[in-house]
């Protein structure tokens, strides 16, 4: 079900606001903050409440870089393109690039 959230606004424990050029969503009960530049950059921050309770493109968030390329079932991947495509959301309208940029964004 689609729901619109005003900016700034608050609904069901989610707070939205504009900070500089970002839209910021804070889910306080989870300790999750999502920042979006309304273009192509998404930054997530989690509190210690979610430490070692996540999986995805940044691993388990447990302080170990040995599981950063793990799938939800714990298996490891060595090919970046395969890994990114496996985690790609299937429900979004836009598709990610097949060949992601590997150049450092600050280079």
């Amino acid at each position: 079900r689609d729901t619109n959230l005003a900016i700034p606004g608050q609904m069901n424990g989610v707070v939205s606001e504009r900070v500089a050029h970002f839209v910021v969503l804070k889910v306080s009960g989870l300790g999750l903050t999502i920042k979006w530049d309304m273009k192509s950059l998404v930054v997530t921050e989690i509190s210690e409440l979610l430490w070692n309770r996540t999986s995805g493109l940044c691993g388990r968030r447990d302080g170990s870089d040995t599981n950063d390329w793990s799938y939800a079932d714990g298996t490891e991947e060595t090919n970046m393109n395969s890994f990114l495509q496996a985690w790609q959301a299937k429900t979004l309208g836009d598709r990610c690039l097949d060949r992601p940029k590997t150049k450092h964004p600050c280079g």
Side-chain angles (χ1 to χ4, degrees), residues 57-76:
L57 289 176
C58 294
R60 305 241 350 122
R61 297 299 292 254
D62 59 0
S64 172
D65 61 0
T66 62
N67 59 19
D68 286 353
W69 285 35
S70 298
Y71 292 113
D73 66 3
T75 59
E76 298 284 327

Side-chain angles (χ1 to χ4, degrees), residues 26-104:
K26 296 179 182 177
V27 185
S28 57
L30 289 177
L32 170 68
T33 300
I34 301 170
K35 298 177 183 177
W36 176 44
D37 72 351
M38 295 186 294
K39 294 178 186 168
S40 60
L41 177 66
V42 175
V43 178
T44 60
E45 298 172 357
I46 61 170
S47 74
E48 61 277 357
L49 294 172
L50 293 176
W51 189 257
N52 200 26
R53 297 178 69 194
T54 64
S55 62
L57 289 176
C58 294
R60 305 241 350 122
R61 297 299 292 254
D62 59 0
S64 172
D65 61 0
T66 62
N67 59 19
D68 286 353
W69 285 35
S70 298
Y71 292 113
D73 66 3
T75 59
E76 298 284 327
E77 178 62 68
T78 57
N79 181 284
M80 180 179 62
N81 287 336
S82 298
F83 184 67
L84 295 175
Q85 288 175 2
W87 281 105
Q88 181 175 331
K90 307 293 188 244
T91 59
L92 300 177
D94 294 334
R95 301 267 311 156
C96 294
L97 298 173
D98 287 338
R99 310 270 285 117
K101 296 178 183 177
T102 57
K103 183 178 176 184
H104 192 283

